[in-house]
Amino acid sequence: MAIDLGCHVGCASPETKQEETADPTAAPVVVDDVEAAAGGRRPGDGGGVNYVARAQWLRAAVLGANDGLVSVASLMVGVGAANGTRRAMLVSGLAGLVAGACSMAIGEFVSVYAQCDIQAAQIERARGGKDADGGEEEEELPSPTMAAVASALSFAAGAALPLLAGGFVRPWAARVAAVCAASSLGLAGFGVASAYLGGAGVARSSVRMLVGGWLAMAVTYGVLKLFGMHGV
């Protein structure tokens, strides 16, 4: 008598299929990237972190802090080359911090406001000739005020490092050395932070920051030293 094995081989019950697909020994999937769980990964990119989404705020934060540090450090070192008094260096550094923070805030506000106008006009053009869908999600535009405040704070944070490091040191040589040393540490730290957050090479980013800051301080010191030697 022929035995019908077709049903036993090809017609497994749903419970049997579920038991076959489910592996009880499989290890649970653990999300070890905080930003992946918070939406920091780009859909369909194979699980990589979306560094492009970080580019805008990362650029603003690093640029503001780096500008503040390099500007105030160069200003203090340059003024110290022409006028060795502690008060002159302290006042010049404080003036650079306040003026630079205001300049960064105004520039970022105008820039982001113009970006918002362009994006809003583009959205209106895209909607032209079409009925607006009530369930369509509106695109969120950047805030000019928040961008301005963030830029000012980042500039002030970077500028405070050389100001506090050397503004209250009495001997001239120790004061200039303190400004240069604190600025170098800050530049290296900014380079490491930007490389880590942006997914770039740490060594290259740190060296780029250091060389740029040293060059700015050296040029400012040299130019103002010439003015001080000629009594201008």
Side-chain angles (χ1 to χ4, degrees):
M1 182 177 62
I3 300 175
D4 186 8
L5 298 178
C7 183
H8 296 281
V9 175
C11 301
S13 63
E15 292 78 3
T16 306
K17 290 183 177 180
Q18 185 176 2
E19 292 176 359
E20 291 176 355
T21 55
D23 187 2
T25 61
V29 178
V30 179
V31 180
D32 58 354
D33 189 351
V34 176
E35 296 201 312
R41 298 187 186 277
R42 182 183 302 171
D45 65 349
V49 178
N50 184 8
Y51 293 108
V52 177
R54 295 176 173 176
Q56 186 172 4
W57 67 263
L58 178 61
R59 172 188 172 276
V62 174
L63 179 63
N66 183 70
D67 279 355
L69 191 152
V70 174
S71 298
V72 171
S74 300
L75 188 61
M76 293 179 67
V77 170
V79 171
N83 188 342
T85 63
R86 181 180 63 87
R87 179 178 176 83
M89 291 183 65
L90 179 62
V91 171
S92 64
L94 184 60
L97 187 154
V98 175
C102 293
S103 176
M104 288 289 292
I106 295 172
E108 194 70 16
F109 182 86
V110 172
S111 175
V112 175
Y113 209 101
Q115 178 185 351
C116 289
D117 290 340
I118 294 173
Q119 290 183 356
Q122 180 64 29
I123 292 173
E124 292 298 327
R125 285 194 296 268
R127 290 178 178 175
K130 299 179 180 179
D131 294 332
D133 185 4
E136 183 180 357
E137 183 179 356
E138 296 290 338
E139 181 178 357
E140 184 178 358
L141 299 177
S143 172
T145 303
M146 292 184 63
V149 172
S151 295
L153 290 178
S154 62
F155 185 96
L161 187 59
L163 182 63
L164 296 176
F168 301 97
V169 179
R170 292 189 177 276
W172 178 85
R175 189 185 317 130
V176 174
V179 171
C180 294
S183 301
S184 299
L185 291 176
L187 290 169
F190 291 151
V192 172
S194 62
Y196 175 76
L197 294 174
V202 174
R204 179 179 298 180
S205 179
S206 300
V207 170
R208 183 167 56 241
M209 288 281 192
L210 285 171
V211 171
W214 289 341
L215 183 61
M217 288 187 286
V219 171
T220 307
Y221 180 89
V223 171
L224 290 183
K225 186 66 174 179
L226 292 176
F227 275 81
M229 290 175 59
H230 292 83
V232 178

